[in-house]
Amino acid sequence: MSGRFTLDFGPLKEPLAFIRLLEWVFSIFAFATTGGYSGTTSINVQCDGSTNEEIKAHFNYPFRLMQHPYNVPVCKINQTGTTAHFLTGDYTSSAQFYVCIGVLAFLYTTATLVLYLGYQHIYRESSRGPTVDLLLTAALTFLWLASSSAWAKGLTDVKWATSPANIVTLVEVCKVKTNLCTPGAVPHMGRLNASVIFGFLNLIVWGGNCWFIYKETPFHKSANPPAEVQEGVGPS
């Protein structure tokens, strides 16, 4: 059979290709909402006898927070200098793992969409294509479960580490009763919350797609023989 590319959008009307298209879209949103994130947290520090100052700390993906400094006034008489402090925690592993799975899923869905829409005749001519597709889809489903769960926990820790209320308790000058420290602006985490939602949404879609791919494999076909085979030959 010819291996020539033949574009046909007909398979998109079937669950197999349509769900794969959804996976392609959701994987983009998953890694894009995480990989390009940057945020700012702040606290307000008023030294004894001085004006109130807003102290800002900037952070971004991959959330290696201990490398992000912020400068706090020394709050000592006749001294106007600042002391460098750093955010706490390193949540690189969970964030990068999640983004990595998102990118891998995007690449795989892109390749399989090309196969579905341009080489459908090759995909269906033997059992090897659907079988390999099923195994890889099942593996990515498990990876979505692992990475989404890890990143959900990592995001919870990032929120705690960048919370102004928590930072206030860690700054030394804020422990002096004559100084006044209050929490400032809370980082906007809506984009990261969406990334976790897209992660578990990918898990559901990828898991569901395993069934439709399974129906294309010989495992399903052998388990459901034709009706005439099941009935057998009637009595003469």
Side-chain angles (χ1 to χ4, degrees):
M1 186 174 289
S2 174
R4 185 167 55 89
F5 177 83
T6 305
L7 183 61
D8 178 16
F9 291 105
L12 288 177
K13 298 177 182 179
E14 301 176 5
L16 181 66
F18 180 73
I19 295 177
R20 186 65 85 196
L21 179 62
L22 292 180
E23 293 170 349
W24 183 78
V25 174
F26 291 158
S27 64
I28 293 176
F29 280 108
F31 70 77
T33 51
T34 307
Y37 179 83
S38 62
T40 302
T41 184
S42 69
I43 62 173
N44 300 306
V45 178
Q46 183 175 4
C47 300
D48 185 26
S50 301
T51 58
N52 183 67
E53 293 185 47
E54 183 182 22
I55 311 301
K56 295 183 177 181
H58 305 281
F59 61 97
N60 51 37
Y61 174 83
F63 307 104
R64 191 174 285 109
L65 300 182
M66 73 286 193
Q67 293 185 352
H68 296 277
Y70 57 98
N71 296 316
V72 180
V74 294
C75 289
K76 293 182 179 179
I77 300 176
N78 299 325
Q79 292 188 25
T80 58
T82 59
T83 302
H85 290 68
F86 292 85
L87 297 175
T88 58
D90 183 359
Y91 309 101
T92 304
S93 58
S94 60
Q96 289 185 335
F97 178 40
Y98 179 78
V99 170
C100 177
I101 297 307
V103 173
L104 287 177
F106 166 74
L107 294 175
Y108 182 68
T109 51
T110 301
T112 50
L113 279 174
V114 171
L115 182 63
Y116 292 167
L117 303 182
Y119 299 97
Q120 183 70 206
H121 54 288
I122 296 179
Y123 180 78
R124 295 183 183 275
E125 73 179 359
S126 70
S127 62
R128 182 181 302 175
T131 301
V132 173
D133 192 13
L134 176 62
L135 293 175
L136 291 177
T137 300
L140 281 167
T141 301
F142 172 76
L143 290 174
W144 273 120
L145 172 62
S147 63
S148 298
S149 300
W151 174 228
K153 174 60 169 62
L155 178 57
T156 300
D157 294 337
V158 168
K159 289 180 178 180
W160 177 84
T162 58
S163 168
N166 174 62
I167 295 175
V168 165
T169 64
L170 302 177
V171 177
E172 289 298 325
V173 296
C174 294
K175 298 177 182 179
V176 179
K177 294 183 178 180
T178 55
N179 300 325
L180 177 62
C181 297
T182 57
V186 177
H188 297 289
M189 295 290 187
R191 180 172 172 176
L192 296 182
N193 291 333
S195 72
V196 173
I197 294 174
F198 278 116
F200 286 104
L201 191 58
N202 269 293
L203 169 64
I204 295 172
V205 174
W206 282 77
N209 201 25
C210 286
W211 165 248
F212 295 101
I213 301 174
Y214 171 72
K215 291 173 67 176
E216 300 292 328
T217 65
F219 307 114
H220 178 265
K221 295 175 181 178
S222 61
N224 296 274
E228 58 271 16
V229 176
Q230 290 181 330
E231 294 174 2
V233 181
S236 57

